[in-house]
Amino acid sequence: MSLADNNQKTRTAVDIYGQTYTIVGSETSSHMRLVASMVDDKMREISERNPYLDSAKIAVLTAVNCVHDYLKLKEQVEQMEEELQKLKG
Amino acid sequence: MSLADNNQKTRTAVDIYGQTYTIVGSETSSHMRLVASMVDDKMREISERNPYLDSAKIAVLTAVNCVHDYLKLKEQVEQMEEELQKLKG
């Protein structure tokens, strides 16, 4: 999913933190709107905790939080893969 | 993991896309530096594909990509949980 990637089909306009973005990708518009609303929620949450930060820094910290959550989930996937391998013998 | 959350212990200064951030959290500094370098890499990748975007928009699109990846991984976790439940009877 990326901006300005015209090999993919769906174009969805979404609002995130007061700005409109056109997201282009192979996912459904409803998936893209869900992703956008999660980013918007997280940015507003971080902004409330850090009211002195500008929107670029809020967005970077949103990405930082998200990569952190991704890595934690990745660890969980690895543990589950090990468990599955053991169960399958 | 968040900026300005003083209930947690570790404070790590990281550089992301030319800005320094102090990330505070219960994770190790090495985990935080890994997260920061992943965000930095992704921002530079998106910036190369979209050279006309300012850093705030690049950061938002980085967060969008990351939430998308997170949701895909979450789907994988749910499938693996189902498979584990079946195997455990």
Side-chain angles (χ1 to χ4, degrees):
Chain A
M1 187 154 59
S2 65
L3 201 92
D5 178 353
N6 292 310
N7 295 328
Q8 304 292 340
K9 279 173 196 166
T10 317
R11 300 178 74 85
T12 307
V14 295
D15 282 314
I16 302 173
Y17 208 69
Q19 292 278 328
T20 303
Y21 296 83
T22 301
I23 301 175
V24 184
S26 55
E27 301 295 329
T28 61
S29 288
S30 109
H31 173 83
M32 289 172 186
R33 279 191 292 266
L34 170 65
V35 168
S37 79
M38 286 172 72
V39 173
D40 186 74
D41 286 350
K42 193 73 192 171
M43 284 184 73
R44 289 177 197 282
E45 188 192 315
I46 289 174
S47 160
E48 274 176 27
R49 286 206 308 267
N50 308 280
Y52 53 91
L53 292 181
D54 63 36
S55 62
K57 286 188 175 174
I58 288 167
V60 168
L61 289 172
T62 300
V64 164
N65 269 268
C66 180
V67 167
H68 170 72
D69 291 346
Y70 179 87
L71 289 178
K72 290 286 139 186
L73 200 59
K74 190 86 185 160
E75 278 173 23
Q76 195 185 332
V77 166
E78 280 158 15
Q79 281 167 6
M80 288 173 84
E81 273 170 352
E82 269 182 40
E83 202 182 343
L84 273 170
Q85 275 189 338
K86 275 182 198 161
L87 282 168
K88 286 176 173 175
Chain B
M1 188 155 60
S2 65
L3 200 94
D5 179 353
N6 291 310
N7 296 328
Q8 305 291 343
K9 281 171 195 166
T10 318
R11 300 179 74 85
T12 307
V14 294
D15 282 314
I16 301 173
Y17 209 70
Q19 293 278 328
T20 303
Y21 296 82
T22 300
I23 300 177
V24 184
S26 56
E27 301 294 328
T28 62
S29 288
S30 109
H31 173 82
M32 289 172 187
R33 279 192 291 266
L34 170 64
V35 168
S37 79
M38 286 171 72
V39 172
D40 186 74
D41 286 352
K42 194 73 191 174
M43 284 184 73
R44 290 178 196 282
E45 187 192 316
I46 289 175
S47 160
E48 272 176 28
R49 284 207 309 266
N50 308 279
Y52 53 90
L53 291 181
D54 64 36
S55 62
K57 287 188 175 173
I58 288 167
V60 168
L61 289 171
T62 300
V64 163
N65 271 268
C66 179
V67 167
H68 170 72
D69 291 346
Y70 179 87
L71 289 177
K72 290 285 140 188
L73 200 59
K74 190 85 186 161
E75 277 173 23
Q76 196 185 330
V77 166
E78 281 158 13
Q79 281 167 6
M80 288 172 84
E81 272 169 352
E82 269 182 39
E83 201 181 344
L84 273 169
Q85 275 189 338
K86 275 182 199 162
L87 283 168
K88 286 176 172 174

